[in-house]
Amino acid sequence: MGEFELIERHFVRATPRAALGPGDDCALLAPAPGQQLAVTSDMLLEGRHFLATVPPVRLGHKALAVNLSDLAACGARPLAFTLALSLPRADEGFAAALARGLFALADAHDVELVGGDTTAGALSLCITAIGEVPAGGALLRSGARAGDQLWVSGHLGDARLALEVFRGHAALPAADFEAVRLAMECPQPRVALGLALRGLASSAIDVSDGLLGDLGHILRRSRVGARLELSALPCSAALAAQPQALRQECLLRGGDDYELLFTAPPHREAAGVAGGVAVTPIGVITAEPGLLAVDHDGRVQALPARGFDHFA
Amino acid sequence: MGEFELIERHFVRATPRAALGPGDDCALLAPAPGQQLAVTSDMLLEGRHFLATVPPVRLGHKALAVNLSDLAACGARPLAFTLALSLPRADEGFAAALARGLFALADAHDVELVGGDTTAGALSLCITAIGEVPAGGALLRSGARAGDQLWVSGHLGDARLALEVFRGHAALPAADFEAVRLAMECPQPRVALGLALRGLASSAIDVSDGLLGDLGHILRRSRVGARLELSALPCSAALAAQPQALRQECLLRGGDDYELLFTAPPHREAAGVAGGVAVTPIGVITAEPGLLAVDHDGRVQALPARGFDHFA
């Protein structure tokens, strides 16, 4: 099977929302009046962003999920995406499973694959996702203000815990391993929450590089500081059962969580936001720059707000 | 130097055309009313799309050029692009040269780098370019009609000739080699020509997979055939001096030309189109499907309209 047949069979589908779908030099989109376009690109490389052991159906899901997560963090509604795919060979079973995972998530969010590129090479996926957001309504990293509450969706650290198991640094009962592995390989982008936070959150980011690193982006862009309650960080039962040092590492510097971290003025009822996922208050924004953490015994320590660096 | 410093220093610049540039979860674009958005993605991998010998300044140019070429083939005006970059290490000299080539071309076409992704890994670049085109005004592959003339811009085959020299299958005088190497490593996207062809061309495509393959896309999408005059194919002096078999291979199946191949009704004066590059009539569209080529002696032969396949 050649390149064009492989694409035609597994990746070309009807695209009723687009003015023109795959098959020409470009796709054409017709944005609604008054909307701005939110654009984000993420590349996933084997060995860097996923392990060779990942089932292809989950890899297809994740490649799109991490991009939809960026749209969610801006409060944008997903519209379309392109996929540049590099595959070692035209393996039809692999391509079919990858497409199944990709389109299951795409259908769940009514977002269309409108174009892209396929090539032979080491396995990698580069997706660019495009969403719509009312002009002036996007959630930015720069809007946090002193006195705002700090919130995070879902729970943190499971993806990192799964990675530690794959690395042989931790061991889990089978059911717990499957649960944290699903968090790592099949993250759920918080699209509905992002939409619900429009007009409510003062700033937002998705947690991809670890809580401290991504919180650091909000603090720097907003020119504020934060006081974080370590005992409030939401945590799965599997992670709660781990030794304290590993648990804290996963919660604070885990990465690959794809939860939304956001700030909101205290009078706004963020706790009741209808985004299909629980949100937890984990601290407060302060006027003084820097990040202070309050531990379980009430002791306060300064933490470096720095995230994962691919070249460090 | 870490990932964030490398990006900040070399790839982050002011983006006055975008509503929001790099640095947040998404970039924000504000499309003009009445415009559709043309979107295209192309990925370049070392060893597949460029050789390890390419100067990084030319690689930066080419990664953007191939995407602008797709916009040109739709008659779209470039607006913004994202870059997902995978680099083996944070090599500042390499990154600086890559950025120089990228931004020189971006500036020439008034298009802005609004976001992207950086990771450590085998050298690859994935660019998604976004352009604007008046609703209903895009040049498509599907509009060719029997009786239309077939045109191509510039000349064909030089990039393939350069590749044959790198492969040791051909030899050239130094000045000729430098010229064809420039065609391979520094293609010029025909953006002005694409804009000038709006309302004039009935179909268009850019020649990236070779003339026969890309003409085949127009013929299949338009459900027509073509009669190609081999003696009319525009050719550089360096390629004209090559043996006939190599010359014809480069002209017909060369690839990496990034010239525009388009059709226009015979009464429209395509010859005088103001796109800053010469255009040459090379044949005619026929009602019967299939591709016939008329050779230098007037003999007619059927040709397979098939292009480069990464998995063949």
Side-chain angles (χ1 to χ4, degrees):
Chain A
M1 169 165 300
E3 177 185 0
F4 297 108
E5 290 86 352
L6 191 85
I7 297 170
E8 193 69 40
R9 187 170 305 178
H10 298 292
F11 292 98
V12 174
R13 306 201 315 176
T15 53
R17 298 183 70 193
L20 182 73
D24 215 294
D25 293 281
C26 296
L28 294 175
L29 306 179
Q35 299 286 306
Q36 289 182 335
L37 283 155
V39 183
T40 181
S41 291
D42 269 304
M43 180 187 271
L44 267 62
L45 305 183
E46 182 171 305
R48 287 278 157 189
H49 305 94
F50 58 91
L51 302 175
T53 48
V54 67
V57 64
R58 293 188 180 180
L59 180 58
H61 170 102
K62 184 167 180 177
L64 180 57
V66 302
N67 282 281
L68 295 187
S69 181
D70 280 320
L71 293 183
C74 281
R77 183 180 300 280
L79 181 61
F81 66 102
T82 63
L83 167 67
L85 176 64
S86 165
L87 282 174
R89 64 203 153 273
D91 175 336
E92 181 154 21
F94 186 93
L98 193 78
R100 203 162 61 242
L102 186 78
F103 285 119
L105 184 65
D107 289 347
H109 293 284
D110 198 19
V111 58
E112 297 178 343
L113 175 58
V114 295
D117 193 15
T118 313
T119 190
L123 183 60
S124 75
L125 300 95
C126 179
I127 285 183
T128 298
I130 299 178
E132 287 185 322
V133 59
L139 306 174
L140 305 183
R141 299 176 178 181
S142 51
R145 296 291 171 263
D148 284 355
Q149 279 188 293
L150 183 64
W151 299 79
V152 73
S153 64
H155 47 245
L156 298 172
D158 279 359
R160 172 65 179 277
L161 178 57
L163 184 61
E164 295 303 320
V165 175
F166 275 108
R167 285 170 168 167
H169 299 163
L172 289 178
D176 283 353
F177 175 57
E178 193 42 50
V180 297
R181 183 180 183 177
L182 204 63
M184 179 176 92
E185 295 179 339
C186 250
Q188 295 302 322
R190 303 305 185 187
V191 175
L193 178 60
L195 295 175
L197 288 175
R198 285 182 190 169
L200 189 155
S202 52
S203 73
I205 192 171
D206 72 321
V207 183
S208 55
D209 288 346
L211 176 66
L212 291 190
D214 290 310
L215 177 54
H217 289 306
I218 286 186
L219 301 187
R220 271 188 299 278
R221 291 255 153 191
S222 301
R223 299 169 188 275
V224 292
R227 187 183 171 102
L228 195 63
E229 300 287 337
L230 295 184
S231 60
L233 296 180
C235 178
S236 70
L239 185 55
Q242 298 303 308
Q244 202 261 343
L246 174 62
R247 189 172 70 240
Q248 183 147 320
E249 178 69 15
C250 291
L251 286 170
L252 294 179
R253 274 174 285 267
D256 252 8
D257 292 302
Y258 304 104
E259 296 296 346
L260 292 190
L261 175 70
F262 62 96
T263 59
H267 60 274
R268 294 199 191 145
E269 274 309 312
V273 68
V277 59
V279 296
T280 306
I282 59 170
V284 66
I285 298 296
T286 60
E288 302 76 44
L291 177 58
L292 297 177
V294 185
D295 73 12
H296 298 69
D297 301 321
R299 282 175 308 208
V300 177
Q301 53 177 315
L303 287 178
R306 215 183 300 159
F308 182 75
D309 186 320
H310 278 103
F311 296 115
Chain B
M1 170 167 299
E3 177 185 358
F4 297 108
E5 289 86 351
L6 191 86
I7 297 170
E8 193 68 41
R9 188 172 304 181
H10 298 293
F11 293 98
V12 174
R13 306 200 316 174
T15 54
R17 298 183 70 194
L20 182 72
D24 215 294
D25 293 280
C26 295
L28 294 175
L29 306 180
Q35 301 284 307
Q36 289 181 335
L37 283 156
V39 183
T40 181
S41 291
D42 268 304
M43 180 187 269
L44 267 62
L45 305 183
E46 183 170 305
R48 287 277 158 188
H49 304 94
F50 58 89
L51 303 174
T53 48
V54 66
V57 64
R58 293 189 180 179
L59 180 59
H61 171 102
K62 184 167 180 176
L64 180 58
V66 303
N67 281 282
L68 296 186
S69 181
D70 280 318
L71 293 183
C74 281
R77 185 182 298 281
L79 180 62
F81 66 102
T82 62
L83 166 67
L85 175 64
S86 163
L87 281 174
R89 65 203 151 274
D91 175 336
E92 180 154 20
F94 186 93
L98 192 78
R100 204 161 61 242
L102 184 79
F103 285 119
L105 185 65
D107 289 346
H109 294 283
D110 199 19
V111 57
E112 297 178 343
L113 175 59
V114 295
D117 192 17
T118 313
T119 188
L123 183 58
S124 76
L125 301 94
C126 179
I127 285 183
T128 298
I130 300 177
E132 286 185 322
V133 60
L139 306 173
L140 305 184
R141 298 177 178 180
S142 52
R145 296 293 172 260
D148 283 356
Q149 280 188 292
L150 184 64
W151 299 80
V152 73
S153 65
H155 47 246
L156 298 172
D158 279 1
R160 173 65 180 276
L161 179 57
L163 184 60
E164 294 304 320
V165 174
F166 275 108
R167 285 170 167 168
H169 300 164
L172 289 179
D176 283 353
F177 175 58
E178 192 42 48
V180 297
R181 182 181 183 176
L182 204 63
M184 179 175 92
E185 295 178 340
C186 250
Q188 294 303 321
R190 302 306 186 187
V191 174
L193 178 60
L195 295 175
L197 289 175
R198 284 183 191 168
L200 189 155
S202 52
S203 74
I205 192 170
D206 71 322
V207 183
S208 55
D209 288 346
L211 177 65
L212 291 190
D214 290 311
L215 177 53
H217 288 306
I218 286 186
L219 301 188
R220 271 188 299 279
R221 290 254 155 194
S222 301
R223 300 170 187 273
V224 293
R227 187 182 171 102
L228 195 63
E229 299 288 337
L230 295 184
S231 61
L233 296 180
C235 177
S236 70
L239 184 55
Q242 297 303 308
Q244 203 262 341
L246 175 61
R247 190 172 70 240
Q248 185 147 318
E249 178 70 15
C250 291
L251 286 170
L252 294 180
R253 275 173 284 268
D256 251 8
D257 292 301
Y258 303 104
E259 296 296 347
L260 292 190
L261 175 69
F262 62 96
T263 59
H267 60 274
R268 294 197 191 145
E269 274 308 312
V273 67
V277 59
V279 296
T280 306
I282 59 171
V284 66
I285 298 297
T286 60
E288 302 75 45
L291 177 58
L292 298 176
V294 186
D295 74 10
H296 298 68
D297 302 320
R299 282 177 307 212
V300 177
Q301 52 178 317
L303 287 179
R306 215 181 303 158
F308 182 75
D309 187 320
H310 279 102
F311 296 114

